[in-house]
Amino acid sequence: MSSVVVVGTQWGDEGKGKIVDLLTRYADYVVRFQGGNNAGHTLVVEGKKFIFHIIPSGILYKDKKCMIGNGVIIDPAVLISEMDKLRDQGLAVTPDRLMISERAHLIMPYHASLDQAGEAALTTEKKIGTTGRGIGPCYMDKVGRGGIRACDLLDDVIFREKLQTVVAEKNFLLTEKFNCAPLDFEQIYRSYKEYGEKLIPYFGNVSVELDNARKSNKNILFEGAQGTHLDIDHGTYPFVTSSNTIAGNACNGSGFGPAHIDAVVGIMKAYTTRVGAGPFPTELFDETGNSLQEKGHEFGATTGRRRRCGWLDGIVVSDATRLNGLTGLAITKLDVLSGQKTIKFATSYDLAGKKLMAMPSNIRQATELTPVYENLEGWQEDIEKVREYDELPVQAQDYIKRIEDFIGIPADIVSVGPDRVETLLLRNPFEIQ
């Protein structure tokens, strides 16, 4: 039995869904432990594209059990829509295949309204780049002890009383602070009662289920959303998400004991991307950046927004290695670098003449960093058909080796194309002792 956590090492969009899909074949349970439908995992299987926002991407395997942990916040309408789409694609999502933590908080209509109104009220330079899906306001209610949880849908007295109180409060904010129209309590109440009728069969105690799985020597895979540098505590604050994205939250967000985690795999692109506002030291504004964006099809799976692109930032990945306790790397989109004569790799920052080996917490300083690059020889070959590591061009192998040496941990997985089969498994994290 092994428990493996998969996390992003950059600002999200590293290709975690594909790596989770690969590792799911060795797992019995796949667990999503944080975030909401502001995240998106894109998988390509036999040329067919699947996009997940809430359901763990392990659902593509019919013999696996998927879990949505208490650390996830759920928009019921989005979740039900996702389930319906999978059913239409021939994948029925039944209660024996998916369990939803009864302790998970629900995203309500007023969360999205407040999210959008709050972002619209900010000046351009202070906008966070939120998806407007209510993620931040929902987590604020959770921390403020005013949130509505999945289990509240099981008790109509509790649900109606809590909803009446919260809607009155949120309508005051919407009308008085943001000059927006109020929301209708009865409409929200009826909608969520209908959602509950569909979702209640899926509710359960995820913590107990996972502990029983561990005791039964099952393999458990924990699936993170977003990336390390969007972590609410350790990311480029305030340009972050509203949850803890690092590996430690796999335990908090699912009710699983930390002593039982065996490996942590950090997913990193062979270059760097970021969606939305915030510091990005290695961002490229030239034709190379445009080339990476176009060749890598760098558009957000959730928002459709164009991703900012730049060279690989070794400091960003090094910080992620420390924060997550990584045991291995999964390098994705290596094929996108094919055709580059020279590949740059940032190995430190310069801040007004001072060398830095970590991202500063001061956000102004983080925007003033100059990356210090090493130049590495690129390769011209198309590598999407490569199925063995030794078949990679020597320059590509040298690039991977330099990353391993700088970060200090090995590459477990290398992805050379978007399809499921275009992935090289060098070391199986479920077999690490």
Side-chain angles (χ1 to χ4, degrees), residues 64-194:
K64 312 297 181 181
K65 183 73 176 276
C66 290
M67 321 285 279
I68 297 176
N70 56 276
V72 179
I73 54 174
I74 300 169
D75 185 322
V78 174
L79 176 57
I80 292 169
S81 174
E82 196 165 301
M83 295 166 72
D84 290 344
K85 288 178 181 177
L86 285 170
R87 183 197 60 224
D88 293 342
Q89 291 175 296
L91 289 167
V93 182
T94 54
D96 63 317
R97 299 191 59 218
L98 175 68
M99 177 181 283
I100 301 168
S101 173
E102 57 201 8
R103 289 177 166 84
H105 281 247
L106 302 180
I107 299 174
M108 307 298 290
Y110 46 77
H111 290 138
S113 296
L114 288 168
D115 197 359
Q116 295 162 20
E119 182 80 352
L122 296 174
T123 57
T124 301
E125 62 273 12
K126 291 188 177 182
K127 290 184 184 297
I128 303 299
T130 173
T131 60
R133 286 165 166 76
I135 307 302
C138 183
Y139 274 116
M140 289 169 66
D141 277 358
K142 176 179 178 176
V143 175
R145 300 185 293 275
I148 292 176
R149 302 189 297 171
C151 59
D152 293 332
L153 297 180
L154 299 168
D155 189 319
D156 189 65
V157 174
I158 289 178
F159 177 58
R160 190 175 185 92
E161 181 180 313
K162 289 179 72 171
L163 185 63
Q164 283 179 324
T165 300
V166 178
V167 169
E169 173 192 323
K170 303 307 182 187
N171 276 341
F172 178 81
L173 286 172
L174 286 168
T175 57
E176 298 300 319
K177 182 176 181 178
F178 296 112
N179 197 29
C180 296
L183 299 176
D184 182 76
F185 163 79
E186 287 295 339
Q187 182 179 355
I188 298 173
Y189 173 78
R190 288 193 302 270
S191 295
Y192 276 71
K193 290 298 289 183
E194 291 177 5

Side-chain angles (χ1 to χ4, degrees), residues 150-401:
C151 59
D152 293 332
L153 297 180
L154 299 168
D155 189 319
D156 189 65
V157 174
I158 289 178
F159 177 58
R160 190 175 185 92
E161 181 180 313
K162 289 179 72 171
L163 185 63
Q164 283 179 324
T165 300
V166 178
V167 169
E169 173 192 323
K170 303 307 182 187
N171 276 341
F172 178 81
L173 286 172
L174 286 168
T175 57
E176 298 300 319
K177 182 176 181 178
F178 296 112
N179 197 29
C180 296
L183 299 176
D184 182 76
F185 163 79
E186 287 295 339
Q187 182 179 355
I188 298 173
Y189 173 78
R190 288 193 302 270
S191 295
Y192 276 71
K193 290 298 289 183
E194 291 177 5
Y195 297 149
E197 291 175 3
K198 296 180 180 179
L199 295 177
I200 282 172
Y202 296 85
F203 293 169
N205 192 320
V206 166
S207 177
V208 170
E209 179 86 1
L210 291 177
D211 196 51
N212 289 335
R214 177 187 67 81
K215 291 174 180 176
S216 300
N217 295 317
K218 302 296 185 182
N219 284 344
I220 304 171
L221 180 63
F222 294 89
E223 171 184 349
Q226 286 96 26
T228 294
H229 292 270
L230 291 178
D231 186 276
I232 187 67
D233 287 305
H234 303 286
T236 48
Y237 190 90
F239 301 97
V240 293
T241 193
S242 299
S243 62
N244 287 110
T245 61
I246 63 174
N249 199 31
C251 299
N252 294 332
S254 65
F256 194 74
H260 305 310
I261 299 297
D262 299 294
V264 182
V265 180
I267 318 302
M268 54 162 286
K269 275 180 185 165
Y271 49 102
T272 310
T273 64
R274 179 166 195 167
V275 170
F280 185 174
T282 63
E283 184 173 9
L284 294 169
F285 301 95
D286 57 8
E287 192 53 42
T288 300
N290 292 334
S291 173
L292 293 175
Q293 197 277 327
E294 292 170 8
K295 190 173 182 180
H297 305 288
E298 295 296 353
F299 294 92
T302 298
T303 63
R305 289 183 293 182
R306 188 181 192 273
R307 295 176 186 143
R308 301 153 64 191
C309 296
W311 294 118
L312 179 60
D313 189 328
I315 302 305
V316 161
V317 180
S318 181
D319 282 347
T321 302
R322 181 186 71 253
L323 291 166
N324 292 288
L326 298 184
T327 58
L329 296 171
I331 301 173
T332 63
K333 292 199 171 184
L334 186 67
D335 54 299
V336 176
L337 293 180
S338 295
Q340 296 290 341
K341 183 177 181 180
T342 301
I343 298 172
K344 293 180 180 291
F345 176 39
T347 55
S348 66
Y349 299 138
D350 178 88
L351 179 64
K354 181 180 179 181
K355 181 180 179 179
L356 298 183
M357 295 301 293
M359 179 72 70
S361 58
N362 182 299
I363 196 65
R364 181 180 57 79
Q365 291 180 347
T367 62
E368 296 174 353
L369 299 171
T370 299
V372 178
Y373 289 113
E374 287 184 8
N375 291 332
L376 301 169
E377 185 180 357
W379 61 93
Q380 304 305 308
E381 298 92 327
D382 181 356
I383 62 174
E384 286 194 15
K385 302 301 182 184
V386 169
R387 296 297 177 265
E388 298 292 336
Y389 185 81
D390 291 341
E391 297 174 1
L392 287 171
V394 64
Q395 296 91 340
Q397 294 185 42
D398 289 344
Y399 183 54
I400 294 169
K401 182 66 166 57

